[in-house]
């Protein structure tokens, strides 16, 4: 943002503080929003709009059109339109401009692709292979517990990495999760995940160091495990499952949600378990289940 005018720099820095302090958004979301708005600012300055107070609807539409020409996906365009609208609404609300230029900005229709998920037999193969590889290794025991908990709960990788030991209630088999916007929820897990956690906690001390603190999952050097390590581990372990799609931790979240719905869980319960703010987000998984049903029907019914 150093090449932007002082007016743009001031507005974007103030908005970033607002996202962190007042809205409590995750670091990843803040980076995404500020990155989108930095591109808007560069486009606006190319149109000789050196102050965000001078934004108008034509400039915003021009920005989105330029993104489309560059081949940005519809989901990216949708996110950037949302970021722009929130920014201009904040500008108007805080008195930085007279009118909300983005109030009439239409959100590009987002094409939502069905997420890839594992079949139930593939999940069993993944967990069995991870357990076989673990042996007596502490990191192996950790990896099994991570995989079991991700699939059992459907929590996000950032939520998992932020867990402390006291967040796990083994007697009730629930885990306390701090989700987006610092919202807390309790998510149940099953007996296999509970056993994997017990095995990990029994050897956690071999990795712990003075600075480990209360973190539930530790890296090789004793610090709290980071999301990149977990993502890399999930991709690696899935290589042991022949024919399985190459998924990361979020793929296990999709898988957990899909299997819950296939097993008869109601949509509202799944929404609460996953920590979705909107039921529309959870409804995507009903499409996954319906698509599987359609494929089975097409393959099996003589008059399909």
């Amino acid at each position: 943002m150093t090449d932007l005018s002082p007016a743009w720099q001031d507005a974007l820095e103030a908005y970033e503080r607002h996202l962190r302090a007042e809205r409590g958004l995750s670091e990843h979301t803040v980076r995404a929003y500020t990155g989108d708005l930095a591109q808007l600012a560069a486009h606006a300055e190319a149109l000789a709009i050196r102050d965000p107070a001078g934004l108008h609807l034509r400039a915003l539409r021009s920005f989105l059109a330029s993104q489309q020409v560059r081949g940005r996906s519809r989901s990216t365009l949708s996110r950037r339109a949302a970021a722009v609208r929130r920014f201009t609404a904040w500008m108007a609300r805080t008195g930085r401009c007279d009118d909300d230029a983005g109030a009439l900005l239409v959100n590009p229709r987002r094409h939502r692709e069905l997420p890839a998920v594992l079949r139930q037999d593939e999940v069993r193969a993944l967990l069995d292979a991870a357990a076989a590889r673990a042996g007596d290794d502490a990191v192996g025991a950790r990896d099994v517990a991570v995989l079991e908990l991700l699939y059992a709960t459907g929590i996000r990788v950032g939520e998992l990495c932020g867990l402390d030991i006291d967040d796990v209630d083994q007697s009730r088999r629930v885990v306390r999760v701090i989700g987006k916007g610092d919202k807390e929820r309790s998510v149940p897990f099953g007996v296999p995940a509970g056993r994997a956690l017990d095995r990990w906690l029994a050897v956690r001390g071999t990795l712990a160091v003075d600075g480990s603190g209360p973190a539930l999952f530790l890296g090789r050097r004793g610090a709290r495990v980071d999301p990149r390590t977990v993502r890399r581990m999930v991709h690696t372990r899935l290589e042991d499952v022949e024919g399985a799609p190459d998924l990361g931790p979020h793929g296990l979240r999709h898988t957990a949600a899909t299997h819950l719905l296939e097993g008869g869980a109601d949509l509202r319960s799944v929404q609460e378990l996953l920590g979705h703010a909107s039921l529309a987000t959870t409804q995507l998984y009903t499409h996954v289940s319906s698509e599987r049903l359609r494929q089975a029907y097409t393959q099996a019914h003589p008059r399909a």
Side-chain angles (χ1 to χ4, degrees), residues 26-251:
S26 69
E27 188 66 28
H28 175 77
T29 302
V30 171
R31 282 199 305 270
Y33 278 3
T34 54
D36 292 342
L37 294 173
Q39 293 188 51
L40 168 66
H43 183 82
E45 292 210 333
L47 298 177
I49 302 174
R50 303 280 292 170
D51 189 320
L55 281 173
H56 46 73
L57 185 58
R58 290 192 309 279
L60 301 182
R61 287 173 173 166
S62 171
F63 168 63
L64 292 180
S66 72
Q67 296 290 300
Q68 187 172 25
V69 168
R70 293 177 183 178
R72 301 295 183 259
S73 67
R74 278 186 284 185
S75 60
T76 299
L77 290 174
S78 178
R79 189 196 74 205
R80 288 182 178 164
V84 168
R85 283 199 307 273
R86 291 188 179 104
F87 174 66
T88 58
W90 171 81
M91 290 272 295
R93 190 171 61 252
T94 55
R96 290 175 175 265
C97 61
D98 295 330
D99 300 306
D100 181 358
L104 298 178
L105 186 65
V106 177
N107 198 38
R109 187 171 180 82
R110 184 174 179 178
H111 175 67
R112 304 201 71 174
E113 295 182 356
L114 299 180
V117 297
L118 300 175
R119 300 189 309 268
Q120 292 187 28
D121 63 302
E122 290 174 333
V123 174
R124 285 193 295 272
L126 168 67
L127 297 173
D128 289 346
R133 282 184 174 274
D136 296 326
D137 180 51
V139 172
R142 179 205 67 190
D143 292 348
V144 173
V146 164
L147 290 169
E148 286 277 9
L149 198 60
L150 284 172
Y151 175 63
T153 62
I155 61 177
R156 302 174 179 92
V157 64
E159 294 170 344
L160 176 127
C161 293
L163 292 175
D164 290 337
I165 295 174
D166 289 345
D167 290 328
V168 179
D169 184 342
Q170 283 282 37
S171 63
R172 296 170 54 228
R173 288 209 301 273
V174 296
V175 60
R176 181 180 59 196
V177 178
I178 305 299
K180 291 185 176 180
D182 288 331
K183 293 181 180 178
E184 181 179 316
R185 68 186 191 278
S186 293
V187 185
F189 56 85
V191 172
R195 290 173 179 163
L197 283 169
D198 282 339
R199 286 192 291 269
W200 156 242
L201 289 172
V203 297
R204 177 185 177 276
T206 63
L207 293 181
V209 297
D210 289 341
S212 295
L216 176 61
F217 293 114
L218 304 176
R220 290 184 180 274
R221 297 182 179 179
R224 182 183 295 273
V225 74
D226 65 84
R228 287 177 299 179
T229 298
V230 176
R231 290 191 186 96
R232 186 166 56 247
M233 181 273 292
V234 173
H235 285 294
T236 301
R237 292 284 72 83
L238 273 169
E239 292 175 358
D240 293 331
V241 183
E242 184 177 356
D246 183 23
L247 305 179
H250 213 69

